[in-house]
Amino acid sequence: MLDATSQAVNEQETRFIPPAPAPAGARFTHLYLHLPFCTHKCGYCDFYSVVHDRPGDLHQRFADALAQSMHAAHRAYEVTPVTIFVGGGTPTHLAQDGWITLLHTLTDLGWARHLREWTVEANPESTTTPLMRLLADAGVNRVSIGVQSFDTAGLAVLDRRHDPNHVRRAVQSCRDVGITNLSLDLIFAYPGQDLPRLQRDLDAALALEPKHLSVYGLTFEPDTAITKRLHAGQLQRAPEDLERDLYAALLERLDREGFEQYEISNFARRPTATAADHRCQHNLAYWTNQNWLGLGPAAGSHHQGLRWRNRPNLTEFLASPASPPVEDVERLGPDAQAGEHFLLGLRLNQGLEQNAVHRLAPPGSPRRRTLDELLSLGLLEQDDHRLRLTHRGRFVADSVVAKLL
């Protein structure tokens, strides 16, 4: 276990002025930590990251700064996390000494005491047994591995640097230290993928017996390298009918293999009398509008309908970790809040409770008329208890939800 007598950050040196959006004493039950470092920028990625391929002093400076952020938040807020999610960037690229600083801090603050789920995102090539042992000893019980594809041509299109054998070694490293709750991320409908290639990706993923799969259709985000290649005519987007066929195929295959789709892109092994619920509890907190605190550059937070994000700038974060500059501060009005409830709730297969639907879209309102239209088109369905997307509606979920915003 971690040494509880490790030197803590000097709290007197981290005076905290809560960001304007969050009142002092605000309670957060979920914690997100953003670790921004990557060895390179993947062509499709638009998350904030810093390419820094030589772990060293910068990693430790960042870890010390994030520890200061945690101590400051501990004094300003009531942080009692039941889930922690460490994302990035590539968290497993952080130098081990930096991880020790963060894990000591989380332990010293008591934030790891009542966790139901503690997830760390990992890249296959940087997932090693010594690092996984360090994380497991601290209490990490879930690892999400960014696989994207097992096809070498697909990995090249996506500008990934690992090979399929790295994935298998990463999975084994996790299991060797007792972390068995593993999630694999895949991307489908990338240029050049067809149905046989998708099935081979699913074959390889399922052979590793993960508890959870996240399978995302490739999105061409603005200003990413892959979008620039698309506009330059160097590759072609998958046709819409092919993307639809790929999605239908993965839905059918994963259902047959014992995975329950609980969100548009997320699948967990079906719980049984002897098997636990493997849905990602942290992400469910996002989709059900619970309160979470994000620490680190670019980390987002939510408290009682108020959202904000730390500015995505490592230099600024290192200069003022106890009170980093924030942006995108937004408090939604009642109508926008209603639209957001539909946006998030309909992503989940369980949908929205009818009492919430009646409150958010009362009879006679424009949103209620839109709902009735979508129901008549067979894109939504309802019973006495819930409103949800139909199987057909999931294929066009974005356009359905857009009508309800």
Side-chain angles (χ1 to χ4, degrees):
M1 295 296 294
L2 295 174
D3 181 4
T5 64
S6 63
Q7 183 177 2
V9 175
N10 186 341
E11 297 190 16
Q12 292 181 350
E13 296 179 358
T14 58
R15 182 176 61 88
F16 185 64
I17 302 171
R27 184 166 186 254
F28 297 92
T29 51
H30 303 274
L31 178 68
Y32 174 78
L33 301 178
H34 188 85
L35 278 55
F37 300 112
C38 284
T39 56
H40 81 289
K41 188 77 170 178
C42 296
Y44 58 88
C45 179
D46 72 335
F47 292 118
Y48 176 68
S49 61
V50 175
V51 175
H52 189 265
D53 59 2
R54 293 185 179 181
D57 179 63
L58 180 60
H59 283 210
Q60 189 58 51
R61 285 171 55 209
F62 169 77
D64 292 340
L66 188 54
Q68 290 182 44
S69 260
M70 287 190 274
H71 276 276
H74 179 68
R75 292 193 301 279
Y77 302 134
E78 184 182 346
V79 185
T80 54
V82 294
T83 71
I84 294 176
F85 197 103
V86 186
T90 306
T92 48
H93 180 50
L94 184 72
Q96 185 160 309
D97 285 349
W99 265 112
I100 290 171
T101 297
L102 299 182
L103 297 174
H104 282 163
T105 304
L106 288 163
T107 301
D108 292 344
L109 294 177
W111 286 2
R113 190 175 301 151
H114 303 295
L115 292 175
R116 297 196 301 263
E117 177 187 278
W118 185 349
T119 301
V120 172
E121 288 186 332
N123 264 8
E125 66 272 31
S126 56
T127 302
T128 65
T129 300
L131 176 58
M132 292 302 106
R133 182 172 291 112
L134 178 70
L135 298 181
D137 286 348
V140 171
N141 57 15
R142 185 176 185 272
V143 173
S144 177
I145 302 175
V147 177
Q148 316 319 344
S149 179
F150 289 88
D151 184 275
T152 53
L155 291 170
V157 168
L158 297 169
D159 195 21
R160 299 288 288 177
R161 299 290 177 88
H162 67 269
D163 65 46
N165 286 327
H166 284 133
V167 179
R168 299 179 183 98
R169 288 197 293 269
V171 167
Q172 192 59 50
S173 289
C174 293
R175 290 186 171 139
D176 284 346
V177 301
I179 301 176
T180 59
N181 189 4
L182 300 178
S183 178
L184 305 181
D185 282 8
L186 297 174
I187 289 177
F188 74 96
Y190 55 78
Q193 189 183 47
D194 54 18
L195 280 166
R197 283 185 171 182
L198 172 67
Q199 293 294 0
R200 288 196 292 271
D201 268 351
L202 294 175
D203 288 342
L206 292 166
L208 295 174
E209 299 183 335
K211 305 295 187 184
H212 185 279
L213 288 167
S214 295
V215 192
Y216 303 100
L218 177 63
T219 302
F220 288 87
E221 300 290 354
D223 298 323
T224 57
I226 200 168
T227 300
K228 293 174 183 176
R229 291 164 62 198
L230 177 71
H231 292 160
Q234 297 172 3
L235 48 80
Q236 292 185 333
R237 187 194 301 264
E240 285 188 14
D241 58 345
L242 175 60
E243 185 169 1
R244 185 185 183 93
D245 289 346
L246 293 171
Y247 187 57
L250 74 89
L251 291 181
E252 187 278 331
R253 176 74 185 277
L254 293 180
D255 178 68
R256 178 158 44 89
E257 297 284 352
F259 281 80
E260 177 182 23
Q261 183 188 27
Y262 68 99
E263 192 268 346
I264 294 293
S265 302
N266 286 275
F267 306 79
R269 284 214 172 269
R270 288 193 184 92
T272 66
T274 57
D277 180 358
H278 291 292
R279 296 178 300 170
C280 180
Q281 299 303 307
H282 186 86
N283 285 343
L284 282 169
Y286 294 158
W287 296 321
T288 55
N289 264 324
Q290 297 179 43
N291 294 333
W292 69 86
L293 178 65
L295 300 178
S301 301
H302 171 259
H303 184 264
Q304 303 295 340
L306 192 65
R307 297 181 185 276
W308 68 96
R309 183 173 75 135
N310 291 347
R311 191 173 296 155
N313 187 301
L314 177 61
T315 300
E316 291 183 351
F317 179 77
L318 293 175
S320 183
S323 184
V326 301
E327 62 183 20
D328 299 335
V329 180
E330 183 179 36
R331 182 182 289 281
L332 300 179
D335 186 68
Q337 285 189 48
E340 186 177 73
H341 276 287
F342 282 105
L343 169 68
L344 297 171
L346 288 177
R347 290 195 64 87
L348 297 171
N349 280 32
Q350 68 184 21
L352 290 164
E353 293 185 355
Q354 282 291 8
N355 59 357
V357 174
H358 293 316
R359 174 172 52 84
L360 299 170
S365 66
R367 190 172 276 115
R368 181 72 248 185
R369 290 192 290 272
T370 301
L371 278 177
D372 290 339
E373 177 187 354
L374 294 168
L375 286 162
S376 69
L377 293 171
L379 300 173
L380 292 175
E381 62 184 6
Q382 64 181 348
D383 54 28
D384 291 341
H385 304 289
R386 309 195 79 86
L387 172 78
R388 61 182 69 85
L389 288 167
T390 62
H391 183 75
R392 185 160 69 92
R394 288 182 202 137
F395 289 90
V396 289
D398 288 346
S399 61
V400 171
V401 171
K403 294 179 181 294
L404 296 168
L405 292 178

